[in-house]
Amino acid sequence: MSQANTVTVHILDKEYCIACPPEQRGNLESAARYLDGKMREIRSSGKVIGADRIAVMAALNITHDLLHKQDRLDQEASDTQQQVRDLLDKVEQALGDSEQDTRSLF
């Protein structure tokens, strides 16, 4: 592994060197900052002690947020699909009404 493909991040006062393609460096650094922030929030609450437990709680919280957002996106996609179907039905109905009006003229 070459130095060009490793990124050093700091999470909860520890340093980690992680292999990462150069084009993903920014995403990895953002993820590490986000995780560090979540872990610090949990540690500062005083309810969870120990880095391992803090990491697990942070992972659970982040996963919960991700799944909740995914559920919401799925629902929004379903709602959008239904709106598109409704609009297509209206267009077809309008075109059908237009054809009937044209036929009745002749």
Side-chain angles (χ1 to χ4, degrees):
M1 165 172 55
S2 70
Q3 287 289 38
N5 290 336
T6 61
V7 176
T8 301
V9 296
H10 296 86
I11 300 172
L12 206 61
D13 304 323
K14 289 191 177 186
E15 187 174 281
Y16 299 89
C17 291
I18 301 169
C20 177
E23 64 274 9
Q24 292 296 318
R25 181 183 183 110
N27 289 338
L28 175 61
E29 290 171 339
S30 292
R33 281 191 303 274
Y34 186 79
L35 177 59
D36 181 62
K38 288 292 185 181
M39 290 179 71
R40 288 180 185 281
E41 283 177 25
I42 292 167
R43 182 176 68 180
S44 70
S45 76
K47 296 178 182 176
V48 181
I49 298 174
D52 291 348
R53 289 178 182 261
I54 291 170
V56 169
M57 290 304 298
L60 286 171
N61 287 336
I62 292 167
T63 302
H64 175 268
D65 291 345
L66 175 67
L67 293 175
H68 178 73
K69 286 180 183 180
Q70 185 61 52
D71 287 345
R72 198 173 74 238
L73 286 174
D74 290 345
Q75 183 59 50
E76 288 174 5
S78 178
D79 292 347
T80 300
Q81 287 174 344
Q82 185 59 49
Q83 289 174 344
V84 168
R85 282 192 291 269
D86 292 346
L87 287 172
L88 286 172
D89 288 345
K90 287 179 182 179
V91 167
E92 288 176 6
Q93 183 178 5
L95 289 174
D97 290 348
S98 176
E99 274 185 26
Q100 284 181 346
D101 290 344
T102 304
R103 279 187 258 155
S104 65
L105 292 176
F106 297 107

